[in-house]
Amino acid sequence: MPRYFFDVQSGSGLICADFQGLECRDDTAALAVAKHGAGFTSHEDCARNPQLARYRFSVTDAAHRLLFTVPFTELEPEPPKSPRRRRPSAH
């Protein structure tokens, strides 16, 4: 699987470089990861801390070529977890 890197930037430059990256199926999957905070932050964090509104992810491929950016203001909330279904008990 391809590796993508999710650097955090502000208007004044790099805040946090992603040296490990994450494996994603393709660009579409990497975009979805970025829109859900890439394990760095969340929609809820951004709602609580207005300073994060100035930040964005710069998503690059394994060769560190810029693919797209995702402003933290566009992060999406995590979908609610569906409750686990319990198996019917055998009587």
Side-chain angles (χ1 to χ4, degrees):
M1 255 196 252
R3 184 165 294 274
Y4 294 83
F5 295 86
F6 301 83
D7 294 336
V8 177
Q9 296 194 336
S10 72
S12 58
L14 183 66
I15 299 293
C16 180
D18 178 4
F19 294 108
Q20 292 183 331
L22 296 170
E23 289 183 343
C24 298
R25 183 178 60 252
D26 55 23
D27 290 1
T28 302
L31 179 59
V33 167
K35 285 185 174 183
H36 287 98
F40 178 81
T41 192
S42 69
H43 173 82
E44 292 76 20
D45 290 340
C46 293
R48 285 190 299 269
N49 185 349
Q51 286 211 227
L52 292 177
R54 301 177 324 184
Y55 295 177
R56 68 184 178 277
F57 285 113
S58 291
V59 182
T60 62
D61 62 14
H64 296 282
R65 289 182 298 250
L66 180 64
L67 300 173
F68 43 83
T69 61
V70 175
F72 280 21
T73 55
E74 295 179 14
L75 295 184
E76 298 173 357
E78 288 293 321
K81 304 260 189 235
S82 54
R84 294 183 104 191
R85 296 183 65 150
R86 293 174 43 167
R87 288 181 146 181
S89 57
H91 286 69

